[in-house]
Amino acid sequence: MNVLTPLHVGNGNELTPVDFYPRENEILVLDVERLVDDLQKLGADIEEILGMIRNPAEDLYVWKKFLTEYKINPEQYAKYKLKVRGKIGKMSSRIREFIKESGKPYIPGSSIKGAIRTAVMYEILKECGDTVTVVEALKEGTRIAGKDPIAIQGLIRSIEHPANHDILDYYIHYINMEIKRALQRRKKVNLKTVDDLLEAIVFGFDIGRGGIRHEPKRDPTRALIVRDSSKIPLNNLAVYEVRVIGADVNIPVWVEALEPNTRFNVEIIFDKELAERNSDYFNGLLWHCKGKELEEFIWKAVEDFYRELAKIDGIRGSNLLRIGWGKGWISNTIGLLLKRKGQKWEQVRRKLGLGRKPGGKGISSMFPKTRRIANGMPMGWVEI
Amino acid sequence: MNREFYGKVIIEGEIEALTGLHIGAQRDTSEIGGIDNPVIKDPHTGLPYIPGSSLKGRLRSLFEIYVNSKLDELKDQYKGLKNYMKGSCREIGKENCGRFFNRELHNVWIHVCNTYEEARNCPVCRLFGASGKESNFPSRVIVRDAFLTEEWKEKWRKGEEITEAKMEVGIDRITSQANPRTTERVVAGAKFNFEIIYTVEDLNEVEDDLRHLLMSMLLLEDSYLGGSGSRGYGKVKFHIKRIAFKPREFYETGDEGKIKSTKQYKSVQELLNNINDVVSLIKPQGG
Ligand SMILES: [Zn+2]
């Protein structure tokens, strides 16, 4: 894969001013442990060091005093250097760290696979999302799961409702019901689980007392093995200033990101035998509709979905994919399809609070209104 | 039933995790805070290891799939396979339905021959054993627990991290909300010493069995070991250090001079290409 625009996959950590030493246009990421050790050996007061670490001084150069006093060259304690793309702003800035293994960045297979699965969900809903096909898939899936069809008859009836043209009409209605139910319990809808039922219907499911839920073992994308990428040399990382465009309040964040033109290897395997062996076990809309041509369909879905998205971002190229953090709602979701539902979706979107203005109560009338820009570029585009 | 003993073939080497490796510990044995999903560790040292049963189970499973996909061709050669049709009993929901994957084990359908005679004539059960409903066929293959190599233990002593908590983010495909969780995994590059022992019980079947064993190892290199394999974890490679034959006479006398080794073959593929060298250790006349 070749990186086209800055790509960030976080590991959940942030580098704080204690972890680095800024210089002109670059940042040294320090081996703090070793530095503290050596400072102590040179006679520095540990209490003073700890005090400084706990309450970093007002400026970025937290280590400056010690380094000057003991005539230490920070270069000697640099684990690696990061070029700065954009402005390193406030003195208290934190940098979101890139995921690494044994100190080297890599792209997790799960990030790539997640991006592929989003495209697959989009494409299958586009091609096979009509209520007739979905209901067929649910009935067939229930038979495969060896369960009593009564358990999902309610769901099937709701989907078959004449007001629904396709599964997304039903799903918007379903989200509405969930919001109502949550309100009755004086709770909020959990935004992390809104897609759960849809994921089960599309990718494969089992049936329990609570209805149907996604079952990874019944999910045919299990046959798609995406390896973690090769390790990527540290000098491909830079600090990018990421701004939110279109927001009223604008607080930039800083991330370690791979620079454009970084290349790395990824191995993707479609395990035909696994797919074949489980062919009487997989269920869901994807398997029902495209089981026999699953592998070709996956790549067609990626091509179609990311071509649509690339148009929006003005990215050119073929075999495109978008991965990592900062992609925005449209790339992370089946938003392209939801937006076609017009007012119906718009109402649900407002109730879910998507597009809420930071700080205030209001919800933008345009969504998505904001997008993230890393030193002028959209994030996460790669070429396969 | 007739069992004989001619000696043991011992394959030793290192198994390297090329991508992070997650072999999960039982939930109740985990004491680590913050990590949702810890890896299995040796209770004595606290270091991660690869249980022999996990490795063997994976080799068996990959070989089962291979045999199932070539079942019709293999039937002529292996009498035990005559009783089976391709496929799994899963959809019928009953064990021993006549399909190849005929036994349910923790919600997974596997292949196990039901009688000693059947297993003796089945390439899978002959090699990996069968705990049949009627009689057992003991496995000809033993896979030892694989512990970290000295080199990696040394790294650990020096304070290097052998496992890392990896954060993975699930994203809701309607709201774009992130749902992070952490999984512990052994870092890529980590190496473990492995030992696989094959007991020679039938000289006519040695070559065939060893081929199948090595083939399973090759299949594993292109598949994965442990959890989350389809999302990048668990790509492994075997580095062969030594392959030796300890004949019956060695066990009778303890004379190490009786042990025979081939020249060095580093990879499984290389070894498989030169399988005759191994076989000729066991059957010197080449017959
Ligand atoms: Zn068998």
Side-chain angles (χ1 to χ4, degrees):
Chain A
M1 285 189 180
N2 182 25
V3 176
L4 298 177
T5 64
L7 166 59
H8 172 73
V9 181
N11 66 358
N13 297 336
E14 282 184 329
L15 300 171
T16 68
V18 171
D19 299 305
F20 52 79
Y21 188 86
R23 294 202 299 206
E24 197 140 329
N25 301 324
E26 74 175 3
I27 277 171
L28 305 180
V29 179
L30 301 174
D31 185 342
V32 174
E33 220 172 299
R34 195 157 59 85
L35 178 58
V36 171
D37 263 12
D38 286 2
L39 280 172
Q40 269 185 280
K41 279 179 203 152
L42 292 169
D45 179 8
I46 183 71
E47 287 303 321
E48 196 184 343
I49 297 175
L50 289 176
M52 185 213 70
I53 290 175
R54 279 191 217 106
N55 303 303
E58 60 291 339
D59 75 8
L60 257 179
Y61 300 82
V62 279
W63 290 108
K64 195 174 181 182
K65 174 179 174 291
F66 290 100
L67 296 175
T68 319
E69 196 174 324
Y70 294 95
K71 297 192 175 60
I72 289 175
N73 178 1
E75 191 98 15
Q76 289 174 335
Y77 292 88
K79 282 198 281 194
Y80 55 97
K81 288 182 202 173
L82 297 165
K83 289 192 192 72
V84 177
R85 308 292 184 201
K87 250 187 273 165
I88 195 85
K90 283 201 195 116
M91 296 308 176
S92 59
S93 35
R94 288 160 170 262
I95 301 167
R96 296 186 188 196
E97 197 181 349
F98 200 95
I99 191 164
K100 298 183 186 81
E101 190 164 48
S102 308
K104 291 269 177 64
Y106 72 101
I107 308 293
S110 57
S111 292
I112 299 168
K113 190 161 174 181
I116 294 174
R117 275 167 54 90
T118 306
V120 168
M121 187 186 253
Y122 162 86
E123 191 75 7
I124 201 73
L125 291 172
K126 205 172 113 185
E127 283 195 14
C128 303
D130 59 286
T131 53
V132 175
T133 310
V134 171
V135 167
E136 271 174 16
L138 282 170
K139 286 180 177 164
E140 170 73 0
T142 308
R143 192 188 62 74
I144 288 170
K147 291 282 155 59
D148 186 346
I150 288 172
I152 62 158
Q153 265 169 17
L155 175 62
I156 287 176
R157 262 198 306 275
S158 309
I159 293 172
E160 278 177 330
H161 191 281
N164 297 334
H165 167 68
D166 64 22
I167 179 73
L168 288 183
D169 292 320
Y170 162 73
Y171 211 76
I172 288 168
H173 163 76
Y174 164 81
I175 298 171
N176 260 319
M177 298 303 289
E178 288 291 294
I179 294 167
K180 246 185 222 163
R181 236 170 284 168
L183 275 175
Q184 277 163 7
R185 280 186 238 132
R186 293 168 192 223
K187 282 186 178 161
K188 277 186 185 165
V189 172
N190 183 354
L191 294 180
K192 294 172 182 177
T193 57
V194 176
D195 72 350
D196 284 6
L197 176 64
L198 191 61
E199 186 182 33
I201 292 171
V202 167
F203 288 113
F205 58 87
D206 256 338
I207 301 162
R209 262 182 293 167
I212 77 175
R213 60 179 162 73
H214 178 234
E215 171 52 64
K217 285 181 185 160
R218 294 194 186 276
D219 181 339
T221 66
R222 204 156 76 87
L224 186 74
I225 301 172
V226 185
R227 306 276 202 206
D228 288 351
S229 78
S230 54
K231 301 257 179 83
I232 301 164
L234 276 162
N235 61 17
N236 290 293
L237 276 185
V239 179
Y240 277 85
E241 178 198 30
V242 181
R243 293 190 163 273
V244 180
I245 304 289
D248 305 332
V249 188
N250 197 338
I251 307 161
V253 296
W254 288 270
V255 301
E256 285 186 347
L258 292 175
E259 301 213 74
N261 295 321
T262 301
R263 282 169 190 275
F264 54 88
N265 291 317
V266 175
E267 190 182 357
I268 300 177
I269 300 166
F270 187 81
D271 189 339
K272 281 203 174 70
E273 279 179 352
L274 187 143
E276 204 177 291
R277 184 189 183 193
N278 288 283
S279 60
D280 54 4
Y281 193 61
F282 294 144
N283 61 12
L285 184 62
L286 171 62
W287 187 247
H288 178 79
C289 199
K290 298 289 173 184
K292 288 189 189 71
E293 31 169 326
L294 180 62
E295 191 183 0
E296 303 81 64
F297 178 76
I298 288 172
W299 297 117
K300 182 175 162 274
V302 168
E303 179 71 28
D304 193 39
F305 181 63
Y306 289 103
R307 199 189 320 110
E308 283 289 310
L309 290 175
K311 267 190 243 161
I312 301 170
D313 271 355
I315 298 284
R316 283 182 197 191
S318 51
N319 302 316
L320 295 170
L321 192 65
R322 197 173 194 196
I323 54 181
W325 176 85
K327 302 192 292 275
W329 180 77
I330 283 278
S331 293
N332 273 331
T333 65
I334 51 163
L336 285 175
L337 295 176
L338 292 170
K339 281 175 82 85
R340 288 190 201 163
K341 296 292 175 188
Q343 206 45 40
K344 256 191 194 174
W345 159 249
E346 189 56 21
Q347 283 166 1
V348 170
R349 195 267 294 174
R350 283 163 179 267
K351 286 187 202 162
L352 286 172
L354 300 179
R356 191 182 298 280
K357 291 172 183 165
K361 281 184 201 164
I363 292 173
S364 313
S365 54
M366 230 178 74
F367 179 76
K369 188 187 166 201
T370 61
R371 55 198 203 113
R372 288 199 174 91
I373 293 289
N375 198 27
M377 286 172 275
M379 298 191 74
W381 282 103
V382 296
E383 210 173 27
I384 307 173
Chain B
M1 170 170 140
N2 177 31
R3 299 187 69 199
E4 295 187 50
F5 175 68
Y6 295 93
K8 287 175 185 284
V9 177
I10 291 153
I11 308 172
E12 285 171 292
E14 292 175 351
I15 180 167
E16 180 183 4
L18 296 181
T19 63
L21 177 65
H22 177 85
I23 297 177
Q26 302 288 75
R27 282 273 156 150
D28 48 313
T29 62
S30 84
E31 287 159 20
I32 303 152
I35 292 172
D36 306 328
N37 246 331
V39 301
I40 190 160
K41 298 200 182 81
D42 178 359
H44 299 293
T45 60
L47 288 169
Y49 73 105
I50 301 171
S53 55
S54 301
L55 186 51
K56 185 179 170 190
R58 198 69 186 121
L59 294 173
R60 179 185 186 127
S61 148
L62 291 164
F63 184 51
E64 282 179 2
I65 296 167
Y66 166 82
V67 170
N68 176 58
S69 51
K70 293 191 66 172
L71 195 64
D72 296 328
E73 289 169 55
L74 296 173
K75 271 183 182 175
D76 299 333
Q77 210 181 328
Y78 304 96
K79 281 187 294 183
L81 297 179
K82 287 230 158 45
N83 307 323
Y84 300 108
M85 283 184 303
K86 259 181 149 179
S88 162
C89 290
R90 176 145 52 191
E91 68 166 353
I92 295 141
K94 243 192 271 166
E95 294 195 348
N96 300 317
C97 68
R99 304 278 179 88
F100 185 70
F101 297 103
N102 59 345
R103 173 92 54 93
E104 190 174 13
L105 187 74
H106 313 306
N107 206 15
V108 179
W109 287 83
I110 60 167
H111 165 78
V112 181
C113 282
N114 282 308
T115 65
Y116 183 93
E117 262 319 292
E118 209 181 287
R120 178 131 186 22
N121 293 294
C122 162
V124 176
C125 299
R126 186 171 93 189
L127 193 57
F128 292 105
S131 52
K133 285 271 149 82
E134 293 157 46
S135 51
N136 289 340
F137 187 89
S139 175
R140 288 178 180 175
V141 168
I142 299 165
V143 181
R144 302 259 194 237
D145 289 346
F147 296 100
L148 280 177
T149 59
E150 270 313 310
E151 178 200 2
W152 278 80
K153 279 187 196 156
E154 186 55 34
K155 288 189 183 198
W156 176 72
R157 278 182 216 114
K158 285 186 177 150
E160 222 172 279
E161 300 285 354
I162 303 294
T163 64
E164 289 185 343
K166 192 202 163 212
M167 196 180 68
E168 233 170 66
V169 184
I171 289 177
D172 188 282
R173 290 194 169 83
I174 289 180
T175 64
S176 180
Q177 276 278 312
N179 206 352
R181 57 175 196 150
T182 50
T183 302
E184 187 185 26
R185 55 183 213 170
V186 174
V187 299
K191 288 181 182 154
F192 301 83
N193 289 315
F194 78 89
E195 186 181 25
I196 298 177
I197 299 161
Y198 169 78
T199 308
V200 183
E201 296 188 359
D202 185 325
L203 291 175
N204 294 318
E205 288 166 355
V206 167
E207 179 174 347
D208 206 37
D209 281 350
L210 285 176
R211 252 182 214 288
H212 292 158
L213 176 60
L214 293 171
M215 206 176 76
S216 309
M217 291 164 79
L218 262 192
L219 286 168
L220 179 58
E221 289 183 340
D222 280 338
S223 180
Y224 52 82
L225 181 64
S228 297
S230 78
R231 290 178 293 137
Y233 295 37
K235 178 177 180 170
V236 294
K237 180 153 182 63
F238 292 100
H239 303 281
I240 310 269
K241 285 264 162 77
R242 190 169 101 112
I243 178 156
F245 176 58
K246 292 183 176 177
R248 193 170 54 204
E249 299 84 70
F250 163 76
Y251 294 95
E252 287 160 357
T253 62
D255 177 3
E256 285 192 19
K258 303 278 184 205
I259 302 174
K260 292 181 271 184
S261 315
T262 64
K263 69 178 230 220
Q264 272 235 322
Y265 295 112
K266 289 208 164 101
S267 68
V268 176
Q269 195 181 347
E270 215 185 324
L271 193 53
L272 188 55
N273 283 337
N274 295 282
I275 188 89
N276 286 329
D277 289 2
V278 186
V279 175
S280 65
L281 299 180
I282 304 158
K283 298 198 288 181
Q285 292 80 13

